[in-house]
Amino acid sequence: MWSAVIEFITFREPNIRFVVLGSIFMGISAALVGSFAYLRKQALVGDTVSHSVLPGICIAFLCIGTKNTPILLLGAFIAGWLSLLAVDWLIHQTKIKPDSANAVALSTFFGLGVFLLTIIQHTGNAAQTGLDKFIFGNAAALLKNDVWLFLGLALCTIVLVSIFFKHFALLSFDRQFAVSIGYPVKALEVLLTSLTVIAIVCGIQAMGVVLVASLLIAPAVAARFWCYNLKKMLVVACSIGALGGYVGAFISYLAPAMPSGPWIVVALFFIALASFIGAPQKGIWARFRLGQNNKRRVQEENILKYIYSAQEDGLIKEYTITPQCLAELRNNKTLEAIEPYKRLCRKNLAIQKGSAYQLTSKGIEYAKRMVKVHRLWELYLAHYLHLPPDHVHEDAESIEHIITPEIEKQLIQLLDNPSTDPHGKDIPY
Amino acid sequence: MLISGLWIIVTSSLLAISTGLLGCLLMLRRSAMLGDAISHSVLPGIVMAYLLTGQKSSIALFVGAIILGVGVSLMIEFIQKRFSVQNDAAIGLSFTFLFAVGVILISIFAQDIDLDQDCVIYGELAYIPLDLWTTPTGLNLGPRAFWILLALAIINISFVGLAYKELQVSIFDPLFAQATGLHPQVWHYVQVVLVSLTVVAAFEVVGAILVIAFLVTPAATAYLISHRLWSFLGLSCLWGITASIGGYLLAWWSGGTIAGAIALIAGIQFLIVLIISKIAKSKA
Amino acid sequence: MILQVENPVVEVHDLTVAYQKKPVLWSIDFTLPAGNIIGIIGPNGAGKSTLLKAIMGIIPLASGQIRLWNFPIKDVRKRVSYVPQRESVDWDFPASVKEVVLMGRYPKLSLFQRPTKKDHEIVKQCLAQVEMLEYENRQIGQLSGGQQQRVFLARALAQEAELYFMDEPFAGVDMASEAAIIKLLHQMRAQGKTIVVVHHDLQTAYEYFDWILLINQRLIASGPKEKIFTPELLQATYGGKLTTLTKIGELLKKKSFSSRKDG
């Protein structure tokens, strides 16, 4: 087992090199076209095409009688294209909706494919064995010559996408604008669709018809979590696709009897899942942390503000109060928890004095600003949303934490340097 | 030969009734691909049930399928809402994963279960007459699949028949339905459960991949020419039945797989109806 | 300029509605009088349809409460009718005009119960009221926009409610249908019903409605139309969104902050 792993990783055997390279390039080209399909909201196009190529393969085989890969791929390519044309026609010329159009096309084509496959099997032609490998896919079944072919096609895809990157990007983002500035949109779409079909046809050998869709979708979906910029997204998607391909090659080397497609899909799925959870900013873990931090900040800012108001109302001296007193004062038990005060101390916004806490000058400044924006927002609501004074406080309680210095400036301007809030309290500057 | 052919046709016609009704609802909700997703995703559930019980005809099979069927629809919804991923991408991501798990399980435990990749593709329509249901006293009641699909057809017909008006209003105008106090989501999930149940039965008959042909193609054919919900439902079942008959005959004549032939005939029917309705429209 | 009324049919108190944490309606507070045709007026994206959906309990509230005749909506659904925007449904749906109107009777039937002869008669009357009886067996996709709207109104009539909420019933409607709808609204008012209509066209608003709500993200005015149609209030409504409000909304979404502490 371990020797096999090492043998694989070190690329000692030329055969491995081919399979690995072929699989990686397959992953990259599928991820590339898949990203555009995803952006054009046609994520399931891969599913339709991959099912639909089967009759093309079978008919090509019936015509020539041998398993000549380039010819089979040509048949697959034509059938894939036909299915897409059929779907497009159904969507635009009949009242059939896109989801049903895809389902009808893929099931009819695939039905024909399976039907032809069984007929071929019954002819007893010895050359047919392995034709059904297309359905579940096995990277280990790749022949050396085929690998060169796939490598070439994948490279072509990558080169063409790089050349037409700008065009494809605009096409996916705003087709109408692309038309208006005189891009040959039709030709570009034909090119992009052809590249998509090619990538799928190449992927089927290793992935099988059902699972190849994942090769297009998963890298794109995962990549979108890592970046906003399209170029970066494509790079990330390609890396994920390449990783998926590598995993597939590895599995089929270790267990040649095992179809490689499912393992690639599982690997890609977990990469996508990890992205959903762990990606910075957009991942749920990051968002959860953001929520936690928000909550803490709100707690801290509220305490600062309450202490400031208490001082303002003359209820305490020198901005010093114990948590218990503040809780009693605001009639809010949650203010008794000591952690937020500790955090304020750590930020040099307060210092501990026995059981009480005193705001530092930095803390007073901070608190003053909170009170200021709170009252500004109250005033804004009263003026611009015509809310009565007794309605504005609650809203301001939450919005005050989010007002940026820029908005603060805007509010002061809009309200013409106000001096008092709707309750008649001074706005501290 | 004649008798077994008849059994095959009757059994797949019963399946066509169930899938015809559910397919109409899926189509109207624009979630045809959800049907596809469910039909692929129940695979690991079926395999696990086989492994655990060691039997083909067990309640566990249906339980496993319902768990996976409802599971995948929840998973799609979760991915879509929580991670704001487009619906179709969420579908593609979820069902490929579950199907992959199913295929891996099959290839790992290939020796332990009589379930191979071929039956995932082709189904076992041709073997239906061979798998008979006999009472302990030895009485022959006919093929087991026939009884299962008969029960399912009855369940599905009752569902659509009884809840006709609730389904109609919650699919046509979900906002209005909500405003009158209905819960369209509840009906959606009842439907998902029924689709899962039906798909498991269909899996044995036509394999996982071609279930979609049963679910959507006859419904789409009916959709082209129906102006009423009841005629849509009825025609959809009818097209499914004619496809079953035609498909069987084609397969019998040519020696190809029955499931593939049915899918093919359903597609051809669709094409013919499409052309005729186009011609009729251009003349009118 | 927000006038409150005694014994209101609709009472909205401090309502905030948010999509993905971004508020589309801010602290809305008003009451509506019975027996009037009431217009909710505002530019595109002002949150008018959202307000109706919130009142009907179709979307969750970020804060606030809504009462109809001083009850929560779930207790009085049978007395209220809601007409969604025409574009919100798929008109290719295989159904006849009659069948759609019959849906208005469904809330009165129990689960699994079939419509009775009486229901069918009411459907006919309602269709006659909107002058659509001759089309009763048409497939709904074959109707014009105005006719489709009239079918929706007939369905609302079939509900025999006391309070009606209509989302943009005049959008994309031909002259004949517009006149028919207006005539119908007047008939309904004469029967003491209250009709709340979302409308985006200022030109016709004064003519159609008795009471007007001006909305643009927040409530600008609510009162009898004579008092509401002032240049200042209209300017405040249509003079663009409040950029500060919009910015804050964006920030709330980006930082995934709830607009209310408990929200």
Side-chain angles (χ1 to χ4, degrees), chain C residues 32-204:
Chain C
L32 293 178
N36 279 282
I37 303 178
I38 297 155
I40 301 180
I41 318 285
N44 281 333
K48 301 174 304 244
S49 300
T50 306
L51 177 58
L52 282 204
K53 285 183 193 156
I55 294 176
M56 289 311 295
I58 295 173
I59 49 174
L61 317 180
S63 73
Q65 54 165 311
I66 295 162
R67 306 211 127 215
L68 307 175
W69 301 282
N70 214 7
F71 290 104
I73 173 73
K74 66 175 179 11
D75 296 346
V76 288
R77 284 201 187 278
K78 290 211 165 83
R79 296 166 69 187
V80 186
S81 163
Y82 169 64
V83 182
Q85 269 178 33
R86 188 165 54 85
E87 290 85 22
S88 71
V89 306
D90 171 18
W91 291 91
D92 283 336
F93 190 91
S96 68
V97 167
K98 200 164 57 182
E99 284 175 319
V100 172
V101 180
L102 196 57
M103 289 178 195
R105 303 299 302 165
Y106 289 178
K108 304 228 186 280
L109 304 170
S110 59
L111 191 67
F112 307 146
Q113 192 191 344
R114 309 215 50 85
T116 62
K117 216 173 164 190
K118 189 181 151 235
D119 292 316
H120 285 278
E121 271 165 27
I122 292 172
V123 166
K124 282 208 164 165
Q125 287 166 17
C126 296
L127 275 171
Q129 259 183 290
V130 297
E131 299 163 29
M132 286 289 291
L133 194 52
E134 56 189 305
Y135 297 100
E136 62 173 343
N137 289 317
R138 280 277 179 92
Q139 204 265 323
I140 48 174
Q142 297 166 349
L143 304 175
S144 73
Q147 290 169 330
Q148 288 174 347
Q149 192 64 59
R150 280 193 265 168
V151 172
F152 259 15
L153 291 184
R155 180 178 71 180
L157 288 177
Q159 286 183 271
E160 297 179 322
E162 296 159 55
L163 171 60
Y164 291 81
F165 291 99
M166 304 182 179
D167 201 342
E168 295 275 10
F170 296 104
V173 156
D174 56 287
M175 296 284 278
S177 292
E178 186 156 347
I181 295 170
I182 280 296
K183 195 172 125 200
L184 182 73
L185 295 187
H186 287 163
Q187 280 169 6
M188 290 162 76
R189 179 179 55 189
Q191 290 163 8
K193 316 219 175 216
T194 311
I195 309 130
V196 181
V197 178
V198 163
H199 194 57
H200 69 279
D201 181 25
L202 259 187
Q203 310 291 328
T204 46

Side-chain angles (χ1 to χ4, degrees), chain A residues 206-226:
Chain A
M207 299 291 292
V209 293
V210 178
L211 299 177
V212 90
S214 159
L215 207 53
L216 274 79
I217 298 171
V221 172
R224 214 199 48 140
F225 271 76
W226 295 95

Side-chain angles (χ1 to χ4, degrees), chain A residues 263-304:
Chain A
W263 289 104
I264 300 181
V265 171
V266 171
L268 287 176
F269 180 82
F270 281 111
I271 293 173
L273 201 63
S275 309
F276 293 165
I277 295 168
Q281 288 184 39
K282 286 180 111 181
I284 33 176
W285 176 243
R287 277 193 284 174
F288 173 74
R289 287 299 302 273
L290 186 66
Q292 287 287 311
N293 286 341
N294 279 343
K295 225 187 225 162
R296 288 189 181 169
R297 216 185 72 214
V298 168
Q299 276 178 338
E300 292 161 23
E301 291 182 349
N302 280 344
I303 289 172
L304 288 175

Side-chain angles (χ1 to χ4, degrees), chain B residues 42-83:
Chain B
V42 296
L43 187 62
I46 292 175
V47 180
M48 290 301 285
Y50 267 91
L51 282 173
L52 290 175
T53 64
Q55 281 175 355
K56 255 190 168 182
S57 55
S58 68
I59 301 291
L61 220 61
F62 285 93
V63 174
I66 291 179
I67 293 172
L68 266 294
V70 175
V72 74
S73 10
L74 290 175
M75 181 169 161
I76 290 168
E77 222 177 87
F78 187 81
I79 292 179
Q80 194 183 342
K81 296 226 169 100
R82 267 300 154 85
F83 307 135

Side-chain angles (χ1 to χ4, degrees), chain A residues 321-366:
Chain A
I321 194 167
T322 62
Q324 287 72 27
C325 283
L326 194 62
E328 214 170 290
L329 205 62
R330 307 297 308 194
N331 205 4
N332 182 348
K333 274 263 176 210
T334 59
L335 290 173
E336 282 180 19
I338 208 151
E339 290 78 23
Y341 299 89
K342 291 247 151 104
R343 286 201 301 269
L344 286 175
C345 292
R346 250 177 278 141
K347 291 180 183 170
N348 289 329
L349 296 169
I351 45 171
Q352 193 169 1
K353 285 202 165 172
S355 65
Y357 293 87
Q358 181 180 31
L359 296 191
T360 61
S361 58
K362 200 173 147 204
I364 296 171
E365 269 314 299
Y366 197 136

Side-chain angles (χ1 to χ4, degrees), chain A residues 62-387:
Chain A
L62 281 173
C63 289
I64 56 168
T66 57
K67 261 176 52 189
N68 178 328
T69 308
I71 305 270
L72 295 188
L73 291 192
L74 183 67
F77 179 76
I78 294 171
W81 245 110
L82 277 179
S83 73
L84 285 184
L85 284 180
V87 170
D88 197 57
W89 189 83
L90 283 179
I91 293 172
H92 290 108
Q93 301 296 324
T94 71
K95 57 179 182 174
I96 304 274
K97 308 291 183 285
D99 62 315
S100 307
N102 274 300
V104 168
L106 86 82
S107 67
T108 305
F109 273 76
F110 189 69
L112 176 63
V114 169
F115 179 70
L116 290 175
L117 197 60
T118 48
I119 290 195
I120 292 172
Q121 281 166 347
H122 290 171
T123 58
N125 182 341
Q128 57 86 17
T129 47
L131 215 49
D132 57 346
K133 281 276 182 288
F134 279 103
I135 296 181
F136 287 104
N138 191 340
L142 291 177
L143 300 171
K144 194 172 160 188
N145 287 340
D146 297 353
V147 171
W148 280 114
L149 183 68
F150 290 130
L151 215 67
L153 287 174
L155 272 175
C156 267
T157 306
I158 295 165
V159 169
L160 281 169
V161 169
S162 323
I163 293 174
F164 291 103
F165 171 76
K166 207 173 66 198
H167 299 77
F168 289 159
L170 191 59
L171 189 66
S172 315
F173 177 66
D174 189 346
R175 186 182 185 276
Q176 254 157 19
F177 182 66
V179 173
S180 76
I181 62 169
Y183 273 17
V185 167
K186 273 274 169 233
L188 285 169
E189 276 174 341
V190 169
L191 179 63
L192 189 52
T193 307
S194 301
L195 291 176
T196 310
V197 177
I198 289 175
I200 292 164
V201 169
C202 292
I204 283 176
Q205 277 267 343
M207 299 291 292
V209 293
V210 178
L211 299 177
V212 90
S214 159
L215 207 53
L216 274 79
I217 298 171
V221 172
R224 214 199 48 140
F225 271 76
W226 295 95
C227 38
Y228 292 90
N229 173 307
L230 179 61
K231 246 183 205 156
K232 279 187 201 151
M233 177 183 150
L234 286 184
V235 172
V236 174
C238 288
S239 319
I240 294 173
L243 185 61
Y246 186 79
V247 169
F250 183 60
I251 300 286
S252 54
Y253 179 76
L254 284 185
M258 189 80 78
S260 52
W263 289 104
I264 300 181
V265 171
V266 171
L268 287 176
F269 180 82
F270 281 111
I271 293 173
L273 201 63
S275 309
F276 293 165
I277 295 168
Q281 288 184 39
K282 286 180 111 181
I284 33 176
W285 176 243
R287 277 193 284 174
F288 173 74
R289 287 299 302 273
L290 186 66
Q292 287 287 311
N293 286 341
N294 279 343
K295 225 187 225 162
R296 288 189 181 169
R297 216 185 72 214
V298 168
Q299 276 178 338
E300 292 161 23
E301 291 182 349
N302 280 344
I303 289 172
L304 288 175
K305 199 180 59 182
Y306 294 152
I307 296 179
Y308 184 92
S309 325
Q311 170 85 19
E312 195 183 41
D313 296 343
L315 298 171
I316 57 171
K317 274 182 193 143
E318 290 176 351
Y319 299 100
T320 309
I321 194 167
T322 62
Q324 287 72 27
C325 283
L326 194 62
E328 214 170 290
L329 205 62
R330 307 297 308 194
N331 205 4
N332 182 348
K333 274 263 176 210
T334 59
L335 290 173
E336 282 180 19
I338 208 151
E339 290 78 23
Y341 299 89
K342 291 247 151 104
R343 286 201 301 269
L344 286 175
C345 292
R346 250 177 278 141
K347 291 180 183 170
N348 289 329
L349 296 169
I351 45 171
Q352 193 169 1
K353 285 202 165 172
S355 65
Y357 293 87
Q358 181 180 31
L359 296 191
T360 61
S361 58
K362 200 173 147 204
I364 296 171
E365 269 314 299
Y366 197 136
K368 200 161 126 187
R369 178 175 181 267
M370 290 314 296
V371 171
K372 175 166 79 171
V373 293
H374 177 95
R375 290 178 183 168
L376 280 172
W377 185 250
E378 284 187 338
L379 203 60
Y380 178 80
L381 290 178
H383 261 253
Y384 284 86
L385 270 67
H386 311 282
L387 298 185

